[in-house]
Every structure is written in structure tokens, then in C-alpha cells.
Amino acid sequence: MSKDIVKPSILPGFMELTPEDQILFNKMLDTIRRNYEKFGFLPIDTPVIEKTEVLLAKGGGETEKQIYRFEKGSTDMSLRFDLTVPLARYVAQHYSELSFPFRRYHVGKVYRGERNQKGRFREFYQCDIDIIGNGSLNIINDAEIPSVIYSTFKDLGFDSFTIMINNRKVLKGFFQSIDIEDSTFVLRAIDKLDKIGIDGVEKELKSLDITDNAIQRIKEFINIKGSNEEVLEELNNLGIDNEVFKEGLEELFEVNKYINLFGVPKDNYKIDLTIARGLDYYTGTVYETFLDEYPSIGSVCSGGRYDDLATHYTKQKLPGVGISIGFTRLFYQLMEAKIIKSEDNSLTKVLIIPMDGFIDNGVKAANALREAGIYSQVYVDGGKIGKIFNYADKLNIPYVIVIGQEEAENNSYSFRDMKTGEQKNISIEEVIKSLK
Amino acid sequence: MSKDIVKPSILPGFMELTPEDQILFNKMLDTIRRNYEKFGFLPIDTPVIEKTEVLLAKGGGETEKQIYRFEKGSTDMSLRFDLTVPLARYVAQHYSELSFPFRRYHVGKVYRGERNQKGRFREFYQCDIDIIGNGSLNIINDAEIPSVIYSTFKDLGFDSFTIMINNRKVLKGFFQSIDIEDSTFVLRAIDKLDKIGIDGVEKELKSLDITDNAIQRIKEFINIKGSNEEVLEELNNLGIDNEVFKEGLEELFEVNKYINLFGVPKDNYKIDLTIARGLDYYTGTVYETFLDEYPSIGSVCSGGRYDDLATHYTKQKLPGVGISIGFTRLFYQLMEAKIIKSEDNSLTKVLIIPMDGFIDNGVKAANALREAGIYSQVYVDGGKIGKIFNYADKLNIPYVIVIGQEEAENNSYSFRDMKTGEQKNISIEEVIKSLK
């Protein structure tokens, strides 16, 4: 390589796809968008760069280390690391222009300088929906969220998936009833159940100085199994006299009742008392979604209810409920597991190949197809027909039209199905008809 | 404000829209995408952050001052400032995986720390298409590009716009014929014709030590007017015996011939010898597009042909032709000039308002509408009917369904057209039918 040439490469931890994979990626992203819109969520788009003091208003922790932060001029700025903080800032800033309940969706890239490892990305798409209330927000909204998840994953082509539901108040109240006031660390331990098993959880609880008796009660509690109605019944039968617990249980009853009414089949949701969500942020209903046949992928869509979205930016009380799909990681995992494939993905329906001297006919055919809404490309760069067929194959273009002397004289086109190899001489109207 | 509250605000020079405006913004962006796809362009998506040495391989200049550059760990990285450099890097890096001619489109945000001024943005969307050849690329591709511009702007709702076309070789050869070897600065001067007028250009040329005789010839040259055929004829009649000029003129003939064949009406394109494009980058055909009724907006879509895309990353010769729409700025200008309006823009078709005790009926109606593909929202948060009607109005939702005792008993819905105020009691099937 000459010394003037810079090796073309991207930074580690960034995803970049071939166009074929990108087509699939975009299709799936559009499907998510369309489903969010179907349920009345409005789009917003916020700057990728924000003031650091705004993004870190909540305070740093893990996040602060991962953030891409820099100065330009004398301004301290950072790249957003999620879409929730920008939402909080957006709602607080535009409060008087918005109508509540405010349903917004946001599909955009976020940035985290995580440790470099397979399947983890430093730039990734999040697809979020949230419903924000002004002062209060009806619990029925919590029941609608799973129907958005259901509709979206159905439309993405999945059949077997389960939306796990729990309520943080049920957990919190339960812990209070066994004299654990600050349940944050206990919840974090329980949240790891899938990863570290019941023994691992027990060990963590011991390290937190939880009494043996309380640990026993916790184990019994997270062992409650059965149908949703049985779980609710058992929870009720615990006879726990704690206001937070009772409130949570009532919410869980309501959510369970309405989820089904919103059209989510019984097979696709389940109350699971071990779902806690690591974040302290959530205060009521919490969700995680698993692909039944691929549990190792982990939750593909998570979220929950929170009491107050924007405490750091406004005194307005803004409760909300929302979910997020970490789409870049999900796409990577689905591709790795060969659950999705980019084969046969093409936007272009027809490649038109004019022989030498018949470019005019080719262009006219392209015009006619595009006019009819059929995505097509006319190959004007000449060359051997075999090479051009190969080009169509590589791009997964399903149909090819060849135009030469004979076709031009008969005002017809040699129309070839690239999959079957079937070929026939037909008029452009017939081509359009057969493709519509 | 309590001292714990951070004022919610964004950095200057960043665009953030209300959801209503965002709906319009996204619709227009989707229209652009759809048109690009119709012509066989494939999507790519590259990281917003790249290695600085890669992004600045060409060398800095103006760009280097504007770039958002920072270090994380020991890595020197920057935000992309256009989509062309990432394309060059992408094609060089993935050369063996791509099929040529490679038609790619890219819609994404780019970043430039420009001086803060009205209508200039530091984060903005570019919408690019390029056709990249491997070694060579037929001139007919240059003629197809305007048909993409035409199709796109038509679909965006514009009728009166003109795609201005020129050829840098014609200019270069002409300048050689009057003994101006390095025409870079002369071209830059001519490019400013619209802004500084013919006298301004003359003054700039004088300051470049151009002889009076040459200036006279230049003025005559850029004064050539008439129909495209007349301009071509006049250029031919100049009898300039220069290889570059002749090559350029031949290209311009070809492009002019095929543009029309590609379906661009005569009214929508025009050879204009004053169009040069400031960038040295372009080597053949160049394009600029103006809205006839709003010339002050400037070019809304520009581009051209270049000899070699990726000289800084590969020794492969990769000629190409492409255009770019700076969409954020365009959207801002169209809104400012009230050429587009977000009024009446709503994705949600129906707001369903269940009265107290009839939420179940409301949810069922929402399910039925969504099932039929009708975007709808069910208002579950209660409150006075007037307030909720107001909510629908603010969100531009065109139809409202009210369900109460009477409706539930008759298994009907009170269906209201929010614009006309017309209201009728009909079944959900009739609602669906009337909205489809």
C-alpha cells in the first residue's frame, strides 16, 4: 500500500452491514415503527449530541464512564446513551406544547463506550415507546403496552414469545412485610435469577445480611408458579397486610384483566414474580419479553411503569409507562442464530438488461415499471449477459428483463424468473400485470 | 427553581420538532427513501463516529475546523461531516462483497460545528444517492440521476422546479482554450454568480490576474442562453479545439438526450453553463436543483460525476455519480416560507373515547380498528368529554368515536368527523368501511 492510502476500517464495537442485510434491518425497523404508530404513538427525534449537564442531570454511575463526552469551543457536550433521558428533557422543555397523555415513539441511535465484546455495540438503535401522563396515568395504559409488544413481534414474524409481567410494588410490599426496607439490592439479586440460579441468588442475599427466615420467605415467594389467575390467587392468599403490596396486587389484577381484552393471547403473556428489572427507575408494572425457542437471547423488549419521568428537569409530576427494543443487538443475535436471514431480500423487483443498441427500449421499460410502482433498475453499463445475470443473482433481484433486436421488433420483452429460470416473451403490460 | 433542577434545553444549532412537525418531516423523508429505492438504490447505514484518520484522510481545510473530534481511551475519533467520505471508506472496505455498478442510498445525520446562524444546523439529515462503477461507469447513469430528482421532488409535492445541468469538462476545456490551466478558483468565482452577480464575478476574476481578454471570453461563455439544444449548438459552434472540452460537450449531448428519455419533462431540466459546484471533487456532469417559485432557497438537491471516489482508501478506480439533499435545512426553509405546513398531519386516524364504565367496549373497538390497519388510540384516562375532544383536535386526529350506555346497548358507536362536526351512530364495521 502506498503511504498515501489510509486503511479503510471502522472502530471496534460498531455495526456495519452489507446492503442485503441492511434491507432486512430496515424492513424490521419499519415494522416496529409502523406498529408503534398503529397504537397512536407520535414520533419525536432529538439531537444525538446534548449538553452534558442535561444528560447527566441524574448523576453518573456506570453511565458516566461509558458516555462519549467532549468539548467543542467551551461547551461540554455528550452523545445520548439512551432515549429516556432525552424524552424526559423533551417533555419538560416542551411541556406547554404537548397534549397529555403524551404517547411518543422514538427510533434512534444511542452511544455507550462499553467494554468491547461480541454482540455488544457502542452505537445501537433503540426503539422506544412511552405514555406520559400529566399528574396521573391510568393503569389500563400498563395493560395496553403488552398489546403493542405482541402486535410488533407478531409482525416481525415471531409466534412463540412470552411477555413476562410483574409489579415492583408487589415486590416492594412483600419485602417490607419481611422487614426489608431498602429492597434495591434484593431486587437486583432476584433479577439475576436466570443468570446465576436460585443458589446464586441465595448466596447474594446472604451477603446482603438478609436473615435465613427472610431468605426462606423470598424463595417461597419467587417460587409461586401456575396460571396468571393461580399466581394472583396465591399472592392474595399470602394475606400480606401491607399497603404497597395491596396496591401492587390490585394493579397486577387490573393489568392481567385488560391485557387479554387488548387482544394478547393467553399463551403470550405470563405473570412472573422473578422479573424485577435492574433499574431502580421502575415503580410499578415491569415487562420483559422472551423468545420461547431462544431463551439464551435474553429479553428482547423490556420496560415498565415509573412514577415520575423528569424530576431532574421540572417540578411537574409526569408518571409514565414504556418499553424499549435494543434493536441492533437483537438483529445481531437473530442473524447469529440464523433465526432471520437476509437471503432473498431485495427491494428491486426487476433488473432490465438492454442489449447493445437497445438502451432506449430498456429505459422506456424502466419508466413504465417505475410508473406502476415496481422498483426496478436498468443496467446501462453493458458487458456479457452472464455477468449481468450474475449481478442480478448477487443482489437477489427476482426478475430480469432482456431486450434485444428480436424483442424490440416484436415490441416484447424477454422476462425471466431468476429463481425458476422460467422465461417468456411478453409485453410490458403483461410484465406489470404479473408482478402486481 | 430548586437547585436540583437542570434547565431542560438543547444546544444551539440543533433542530428539534414538535410531534406534528416530526410527522411531516418523517413523511417527507420516507418519500425520499421510497423514490431512491424505486430506482434500485440499496440502503447502507454507517457509524456516526469514525476514526479521525479515516474521516480526514483527504486532509482538512474548512472541514477540519468544523468537525466534532474527540478522544475516548486513546482513540482519536470524529463524527461524520457528510455521507460521501463514509461511502468512499465503505466501498473500499467492502469492495469484494459489493456488486458493481453499486447503487447505494444513505439517509442519515451528519455533524458540522458551523458558525451559529438562522437556518444553519450543526446536526442535519443528508439524503444521498450514488452510483459507483468498478473502473468505469457509463455516462447514461448521469442522465438517470435527474430522473430520480424529478421523481422525488414530484412526490414531495412540487411541480415547478428546474434541474440545472452542466459539465465540468466543458468548463475546464474552455478555460484551457483561453490559457487558464488551473480553473479551480475561476470555477469557484463563477459558482457565486447567483450571489454576487456578473460584476462580482468579474471583480473576483480580475483579482485572480485573469487577462481582460479572457474575462471577456468567460463573460460571453456564461452568457450563452437558450433551449438546451441551442446551448449545445452554440457550444459546438465555438469551435474550441480542446480534447477536454470536446469530451465534455459529447457527455453533455448524451446526458441531454437521455434525460428526456428517462421521463424528465423538458420544463424540469436545463443546461446552465454557470453551474459549476464549488467542490473540486466533481469532474464531469454537475447538477443543482431550484424551486422555480422560491429561488432564494437556493439549490435543494446538488451533485455530480466524479472520476474516483476512494483514492484515499484504495487503488481501485471507482468513478461515480451522485446527488445529495440536505433535508434538515430544506425542511426548515420550506416551513419558514410556509410552503409546507404540519397542520392536518396526524398518523392516528381515530381517537376512541369510552365513557365511565365502558372501557371494555372502547378497547374492543380499538382492537377492531387496528386489526383493520386503522391507526387508533383509545383514551383510557377519563375526564370531561370536552377536554378529550380538545385533545383530539390538538393532535389533528380526524375522527373520534364515543362509547357510552346508549351505544353499548345498541352495539353501535357515536362516530364524529372532527372537521365537519358531523356525527352518526354506526356499527364498528361501518366505521371501518367508511375509513378504508
Side-chain angles (χ1 to χ4, degrees), chain A residues 7 14 23 115 283 305 318 349:
Chain A
K7 187 173 175 286
F14 286 73
I23 290 171
R115 198 165 58 80
T283 50
R305 157 78 76 146
L318 302 164
K349 242 347 197 323

Side-chain angles (χ1 to χ4, degrees), chain B residues 169-184:
Chain B
K169 284 178 195 158
V170 168
L171 295 174
K172 195 178 176 191
F174 165 73
F175 290 121
Q176 284 177 353
S177 79
I178 53 170
D179 292 324
I180 296 174
E181 262 314 313
D182 182 2
S183 58
T184 312

Side-chain angles (χ1 to χ4, degrees), chain A residues 141-376:
Chain A
N141 290 289
D142 297 39
E144 189 178 21
I145 294 287
S147 71
V148 187
I149 302 177
Y150 174 73
S151 171
T152 304
F153 279 85
K154 266 302 226 196
D155 235 17
L156 286 172
F158 297 100
D159 282 314
S160 314
F161 56 90
T162 308
I163 304 161
M164 305 290 199
I165 291 150
N166 197 7
N167 189 301
R168 290 281 287 254
K169 284 178 195 159
V170 167
L171 294 175
K172 195 178 175 190
F174 165 73
F175 289 121
Q176 285 177 353
S177 79
I178 53 171
D179 292 325
I180 297 174
E181 263 312 316
D182 181 2
S183 60
T184 311
F185 293 97
V186 179
L187 288 175
R188 281 195 191 151
I190 293 177
D191 206 30
K192 294 183 198 161
L193 183 63
D194 268 357
K195 285 179 197 147
I196 61 176
I198 188 73
D199 293 343
V201 172
E202 183 164 357
K203 211 167 142 191
E204 276 216 22
L205 292 177
K206 271 191 177 141
S207 77
L208 292 170
D209 284 334
I210 310 290
T211 65
D212 283 353
N213 181 45
I215 289 177
Q216 196 49 39
R217 298 282 306 276
I218 291 170
K219 282 173 70 178
E220 282 164 22
F221 178 83
I222 62 180
N223 244 335
I224 295 176
K225 293 266 148 61
S227 73
N228 292 339
E229 288 66 29
E230 283 164 358
V231 170
L232 289 169
E233 181 71 17
E234 275 206 53
L235 283 173
N236 207 21
N237 290 345
L238 289 178
I240 295 174
D241 189 21
N242 175 289
E243 283 312 309
V244 178
F245 180 85
K246 283 179 185 166
E247 200 183 313
L249 189 53
E250 201 175 308
E251 288 180 6
L252 206 49
F253 261 106
E254 283 284 291
V255 169
N256 184 58
K257 175 183 158 200
Y258 277 102
I259 286 182
N260 198 242
L261 190 66
F262 270 108
V264 185
K266 292 263 182 204
D267 281 350
N268 291 96
Y269 70 96
K270 190 168 177 40
I271 294 173
D272 183 327
L273 299 177
T274 70
I275 298 293
R277 305 287 307 133
L279 302 165
D280 323 342
Y281 185 63
Y282 296 111
T283 50
T285 313
V286 285
Y287 318 95
E288 291 197 344
T289 311
F290 295 90
L291 304 178
D292 298 345
E293 290 157 32
Y294 311 95
S296 66
I297 286 181
S299 177
V300 296
C301 179
S302 314
R305 157 78 76 146
Y306 39 90
D307 274 344
D308 205 348
L309 174 71
T311 44
H312 303 286
Y313 311 116
T314 178
K315 286 186 172 171
Q316 303 291 344
K317 191 172 157 66
L318 302 164
V321 61
I323 46 156
S324 179
I325 301 174
F327 187 67
T328 300
R329 184 169 156 74
L330 175 60
F331 183 84
Y332 173 84
Q333 289 172 310
L334 295 174
M335 288 292 275
E336 282 287 296
K338 301 201 188 330
I339 301 165
I340 56 169
K341 281 182 226 125
S342 65
E343 274 166 37
D344 301 335
N345 264 299
S346 169
L347 294 164
T348 308
K349 242 347 197 323
V350 184
L351 182 70
I352 298 152
I353 311 174
M355 298 285 95
D356 268 1
F358 295 94
I359 283 187
D360 290 21
N361 306 61
V363 169
K364 280 177 196 160
N367 292 344
L369 291 176
R370 288 166 184 162
E371 189 71 31
I374 296 163
Y375 294 10
S376 38

Side-chain angles (χ1 to χ4, degrees), chain A residues 16-31:
Chain A
E16 184 164 87
L17 302 171
T18 61
E20 298 83 64
D21 290 352
Q22 191 70 52
I23 290 171
L24 181 58
F25 189 97
N26 291 1
K27 273 186 188 170
M28 294 177 74
L29 217 51
D30 281 345
T31 298

Side-chain angles (χ1 to χ4, degrees), chain B residues 189-190 192-193 196-206:
Chain B
I190 292 177
K192 295 183 199 159
L193 183 62
I196 62 178
I198 187 72
D199 293 342
V201 172
E202 183 164 353
K203 210 168 146 190
E204 274 216 24
L205 292 177
K206 273 193 176 139

Side-chain angles (χ1 to χ4, degrees), chain A residues 6 9 16-17 30 33 48 51 67 72 89-90 94 101 123 138 144 261 312 367 370 381 391, chain B residues 6 9 16-17 30 33 48 51 67 72 89-90 94 101 123 138 144 261 312 367 370 381 391:
Chain A
V6 176
S9 65
E16 184 164 87
L17 302 171
D30 281 345
R33 264 186 13 159
V48 166
K51 294 174 183 172
I67 206 169
K72 180 131 186 106
R89 193 265 310 145
Y90 184 95
H94 302 286
E123 174 187 69
N138 195 299
E144 189 178 21
L261 190 66
H312 303 286
N367 292 344
R370 288 166 184 162
D381 284 82
Y391 176 86
Chain B
V6 176
S9 66
E16 185 164 85
L17 303 171
D30 281 345
R33 268 191 2 165
V48 167
K51 294 174 184 171
I67 206 168
K72 179 128 185 110
R89 194 265 312 143
Y90 183 94
H94 302 286
E123 174 187 68
N138 196 299
E144 190 178 18
L261 190 66
H312 302 287
N367 291 345
R370 288 166 184 162
D381 284 83
Y391 176 85

Side-chain angles (χ1 to χ4, degrees), chain B residues 253-369:
Chain B
F253 261 106
E254 284 283 291
V255 169
N256 185 58
K257 177 185 157 196
Y258 279 101
I259 286 181
N260 197 241
L261 190 66
F262 271 108
V264 184
K266 292 265 180 201
D267 280 351
N268 292 97
Y269 69 97
K270 188 164 178 44
I271 295 173
D272 183 326
L273 300 176
T274 70
I275 298 292
R277 305 286 306 129
L279 302 165
D280 323 341
Y281 185 63
Y282 295 111
T283 51
T285 313
V286 286
Y287 318 95
E288 292 197 343
T289 311
F290 296 90
L291 303 179
D292 298 345
E293 290 156 31
Y294 310 96
S296 66
I297 285 181
S299 178
V300 295
C301 178
S302 314
R305 156 78 76 145
Y306 39 89
D307 274 343
D308 205 347
L309 174 71
T311 44
H312 302 287
Y313 310 115
T314 176
K315 286 184 172 173
Q316 303 290 347
K317 191 173 157 64
L318 302 164
V321 61
I323 44 155
S324 180
I325 300 173
F327 187 67
T328 300
R329 182 169 158 74
L330 175 60
F331 184 84
Y332 172 83
Q333 289 173 311
L334 294 175
M335 289 291 276
E336 282 287 296
K338 301 198 186 335
I339 301 166
I340 55 171
K341 279 180 227 129
S342 65
E343 275 166 35
D344 301 334
N345 264 300
S346 169
L347 295 164
T348 308
K349 239 357 198 310
V350 183
L351 183 71
I352 299 151
I353 311 173
M355 299 285 93
D356 267 1
F358 296 93
I359 283 187
D360 290 21
N361 306 60
V363 170
K364 279 177 195 161
N367 291 345
L369 291 176

Side-chain angles (χ1 to χ4, degrees), chain A residues 2 4-11 14-19 22-23 26 30 33-34 37-51 53-54 57 65-68 70 72 75 77 79 89-90 92-94 97-103 105 109 111 113 123 125 136-138 140-141 144 258 261-263 311-315 347-348 359-360 363-364 367 370 374-381 391 394-395, chain B residues 2 4-11 14-19 22-23 26 30 33-34 37-51 53-54 57 65-68 70 72 75 77 79 89-90 92-94 97-103 105 109 111 113 123 125 136-138 140-141 144 258 261-263 311-315 347-348 359-360 363-364 367 370 374-381 391 394-395:
Chain A
S2 116
D4 290 316
I5 285 185
V6 176
K7 187 173 175 286
S9 65
I10 57 172
L11 290 160
F14 286 73
M15 178 185 272
E16 184 164 87
L17 302 171
T18 61
Q22 191 70 52
I23 290 171
N26 291 1
D30 281 345
R33 264 186 13 159
R34 198 173 51 245
E37 290 175 355
K38 193 162 76 181
F39 284 80
F41 290 86
L42 307 173
I44 71 166
D45 183 18
T46 68
V48 166
I49 312 176
E50 297 228 25
K51 294 174 183 172
E53 61 159 1
V54 168
K65 275 178 259 163
Q66 296 185 345
I67 206 169
Y68 288 91
F70 50 94
K72 180 131 186 106
T75 313
M77 48 185 82
L79 305 189
R89 193 265 310 145
Y90 184 95
Q93 184 176 341
H94 302 286
E97 303 159 61
L98 301 176
S99 304
F100 294 91
F102 175 52
R103 299 181 159 224
Y105 81 86
K109 285 177 169 180
Y111 297 84
E123 174 187 69
Y125 279 92
S136 68
L137 185 72
N138 195 299
I140 297 175
N141 290 289
E144 189 178 21
Y258 277 102
L261 190 66
F262 270 108
T311 44
H312 303 286
Y313 311 116
T314 178
K315 286 186 172 171
L347 294 164
T348 308
I359 283 187
D360 290 21
V363 169
K364 280 177 196 160
N367 292 344
R370 288 166 184 162
I374 296 163
Y375 294 10
S376 38
Q377 176 184 349
V378 50
Y379 196 100
V380 296
D381 284 82
Y391 176 86
K394 271 192 179 166
L395 296 184
Chain B
S2 116
D4 290 316
I5 285 186
V6 176
K7 186 172 178 285
S9 66
I10 57 172
L11 290 160
F14 287 73
M15 177 186 271
E16 185 164 85
L17 303 171
T18 62
Q22 192 69 50
I23 290 171
N26 291 2
D30 281 345
R33 268 191 2 165
R34 197 174 52 245
E37 290 175 354
K38 193 162 76 181
F39 285 79
F41 290 86
L42 307 172
I44 71 167
D45 183 17
T46 68
V48 167
I49 313 175
E50 297 229 24
K51 294 174 184 171
E53 60 159 0
V54 167
K65 274 177 261 165
Q66 297 187 344
I67 206 168
Y68 288 91
F70 50 96
K72 179 128 185 110
T75 311
M77 50 185 80
L79 305 189
R89 194 265 312 143
Y90 183 94
Q93 184 176 340
H94 302 286
E97 304 158 59
L98 301 175
S99 303
F100 294 92
F102 175 52
R103 296 180 161 226
Y105 81 86
K109 285 177 170 181
Y111 297 83
E123 174 187 68
Y125 278 93
S136 68
L137 185 72
N138 196 299
I140 297 174
N141 290 289
E144 190 178 18
Y258 279 101
L261 190 66
F262 271 108
T311 44
H312 302 287
Y313 310 115
T314 176
K315 286 184 172 173
L347 295 164
T348 308
I359 283 187
D360 290 21
V363 170
K364 279 177 195 161
N367 291 345
R370 288 166 184 162
I374 296 163
Y375 295 8
S376 40
Q377 176 184 347
V378 50
Y379 196 100
V380 295
D381 284 83
Y391 176 85
K394 270 193 180 167
L395 296 184

